[in-house]
Amino acid sequence: MTPTTETMVGIGGAAESTDMVLNIGPQHPSTHGVLRLKLVLDGERITHAEPVIGYMHRGAEKLFEARDYRQIIMLANRHDWLSAFSNELGVVLAVERMLGMEVPERAVWLRTLLAELNRVLNHLMFLGSYPLELGGITPIFYAFREREELQHVMEEVSGGRMHYMFNRVGGLKEDLPAGWTARARAAVADVRSRMDRFDDLVLGNEIFRGRTRGVGTLSPETVHAYGVSGPLGRASGVDFDLRRDEPYLAYGDLQDTLRVVTRQEGDCLARFECLLEQTHNALDLADACLDRLAELPPGPVNQRLPKVLKAPEGHTYAWTENPLGINGYYLVSKGEKTPYRLKLRSASYNNIQALTELLPGTLVADMVAILGSMFFVVGDIDK
């Protein structure tokens, strides 16, 4: 029998103080796009988190400078591909403010209606996909069913399913198809009648509540420090909504219907609850807009524009309450037909930065639950 030799290889005490660096992404299925998270771990606990962005960067802000005021709408509606109508809206509001342009009343109410329908479409995607990331596959099927109901009416009025291109400086592209308001009202009623599925399937699920309650708590101080907005900020008790606090479009006349949903817990469950309740309220706002449109006499939905549209020299800032939070455009004009500068402040960009404060101290197993509850679109970060 051949004698054997045993060798003990020591790694010393350094192993106890060595952290593991874990890359999540940039192609991880739970990141809603191409995002990379650089995590430093101590065992299974995260000690440091760094969101690494830029993998989808299109340079849209630079491209704004090479397109005229009609063409930049195409660039603006693509960064948050779930909120295309709302993205267009911010641009045209900024240009109209520079021009001192008054938009026809019918166009104002139509814009408000379509913005709220777009809000529901955005929220339904996250109401379905977030449970999917935690292992619940059924809600995504219901979410897509309800989305299709509203997508049909949005597609009929604009011709687009995601990138509507329906806003124009001075109003909207064209008036509504005959009978469209009745079909839109029926779609809103159908979606509302089935929204309780998310209460039953998701909020009533003890596994979902166990994975989200008390997990990823975001403090109001962090919300203010990082400029977090939208349902994320309101879930932490920051009661701020531009539709109520600085009304634009027809929101000033909808204060009796508008309800700003807040929570105090600031955890993953609170963020989901805010999103769900806000969806219910958006459907109510859509009905209120349809009621008002039924009372308005026929009229124009846009202003006649000169062949070459030039904004006067100056600057302005227009911000809107997009589905994911505050979306702002800082427009600088030198009196030419193209913007001299157009800086975009997107909701997802600020919201995702809070992960540097939110993830440290949590477990790797809770990382996907926290990440999914941030409700971001990567194109809105890498604009």
Side-chain angles (χ1 to χ4, degrees):
M1 182 175 177
T2 306
T4 58
T5 304
E6 293 183 0
T7 304
M8 182 70 71
V9 179
I11 57 175
E16 298 177 2
S17 59
T18 301
D19 293 322
M20 174 191 287
V21 178
L22 178 66
N23 280 296
I24 306 296
Q27 294 174 329
H28 196 276
S30 72
T31 57
H32 293 288
V34 189
L35 173 75
R36 175 185 167 208
L37 282 179
K38 184 179 177 183
L39 307 178
V40 179
L41 308 179
D42 180 9
E44 292 190 22
R45 196 166 295 278
I46 299 170
T47 60
H48 178 77
E50 178 188 354
V52 182
I53 65 174
Y55 291 96
M56 294 181 63
H57 185 54
R58 299 182 297 117
E61 292 175 326
K62 197 64 183 173
L63 291 173
F64 283 142
E65 301 170 13
R67 306 290 190 277
D68 67 33
Y69 288 106
R70 292 179 175 89
Q71 296 170 329
I72 59 176
I73 298 171
M74 178 274 296
L75 294 168
N77 73 5
R78 281 162 166 74
H79 55 89
D80 175 359
W81 45 77
L82 296 176
S83 311
F85 186 87
S86 302
N87 300 338
E88 301 170 10
L89 191 58
V91 170
V92 297
L93 288 176
V95 179
E96 288 162 3
R97 184 174 296 175
M98 289 286 286
L99 294 168
M101 181 178 290
E102 194 79 20
V103 177
E105 184 182 12
R106 186 171 170 81
V108 171
W109 281 95
L110 274 173
R111 281 178 171 178
T112 311
L113 166 62
L114 295 171
E116 290 306 311
L117 292 178
N118 193 197
R119 191 181 310 276
V120 177
L121 285 169
N122 175 289
H123 291 356
L124 281 171
M125 176 62 77
F126 290 106
L127 291 174
S129 67
Y130 185 43
L132 179 66
E133 290 163 8
L134 299 180
I137 191 172
T138 308
I140 192 71
F141 298 128
Y142 288 110
F144 267 90
R145 174 181 173 175
E146 312 315 330
R147 277 176 55 85
E148 281 303 309
E149 289 268 357
L150 298 176
Q151 284 283 26
H152 286 320
V153 295
M154 293 293 283
E155 185 177 8
E156 182 185 1
V157 74
S158 68
R161 283 182 61 83
M162 287 187 68
H163 306 306
Y164 304 109
M165 284 300 297
F166 198 57
N167 276 291
R168 295 292 186 273
V169 176
L172 295 169
K173 175 186 173 185
E174 57 196 7
D175 207 344
L176 303 174
W180 183 87
T181 52
R183 291 187 289 277
R185 192 183 293 275
V188 169
D190 285 347
V191 172
R192 180 187 287 108
S193 69
R194 294 190 292 264
M195 283 299 294
D196 59 347
R197 299 273 174 80
F198 294 98
D199 290 297
D200 299 337
L201 284 173
V202 184
L203 289 182
N205 186 297
E206 62 183 57
I207 298 174
F208 178 84
R209 299 183 76 88
R211 289 291 307 275
T212 56
R213 187 194 286 116
V215 175
T217 302
L218 186 64
S219 68
E221 293 76 20
T222 304
V223 169
H224 290 299
Y226 284 86
V228 175
S229 59
L232 273 64
R234 291 191 285 273
S236 296
V238 179
D239 188 5
F240 181 70
D241 190 314
L242 286 174
R243 297 173 297 170
R244 181 198 62 195
D245 301 324
E246 286 196 23
Y248 57 99
L249 294 182
Y251 289 114
D253 297 322
L254 292 170
Q255 295 302 304
D256 291 338
T257 307
L258 176 64
R259 184 164 53 88
V260 179
V261 182
T262 60
R263 290 288 187 277
Q264 300 301 319
E265 295 83 1
D267 56 10
C268 295
L269 181 60
R271 291 191 277 274
F272 186 87
E273 288 177 341
C274 276
L275 203 71
L276 180 57
E277 284 196 39
Q278 191 167 287
T279 308
H280 284 284
N281 187 237
L283 292 169
D284 294 338
L285 289 168
D287 267 340
C289 290
L290 286 165
D291 292 341
R292 179 60 178 149
L293 284 168
E295 299 169 358
L296 291 176
V301 294
N302 50 39
Q303 296 275 28
R304 289 184 64 86
L305 299 177
K307 188 174 182 180
V308 178
L309 181 63
K310 294 183 178 181
E313 188 170 347
H315 61 92
T316 190
Y317 182 72
W319 57 350
T320 58
E321 187 69 38
N322 266 35
L324 297 181
I326 294 173
N327 195 73
Y329 289 92
Y330 179 61
L331 171 63
V332 181
S333 172
K334 289 293 185 74
E336 302 296 331
K337 65 179 183 179
T338 61
Y340 176 74
R341 187 79 175 90
L342 188 52
K343 176 71 176 72
L344 169 62
R345 189 267 191 218
S346 62
S348 297
Y349 181 82
N350 283 70
N351 291 354
I352 205 67
Q353 307 307 318
L355 286 172
T356 59
E357 299 277 349
L358 198 53
L359 287 176
T362 63
L363 297 172
V364 176
D366 291 328
M367 186 270 300
V368 172
I370 296 170
L371 190 61
S373 74
M374 299 304 284
F375 308 133
F376 61 89
V377 171
V378 179
D380 204 38
I381 303 169
D382 296 341
K383 47 198 181 292

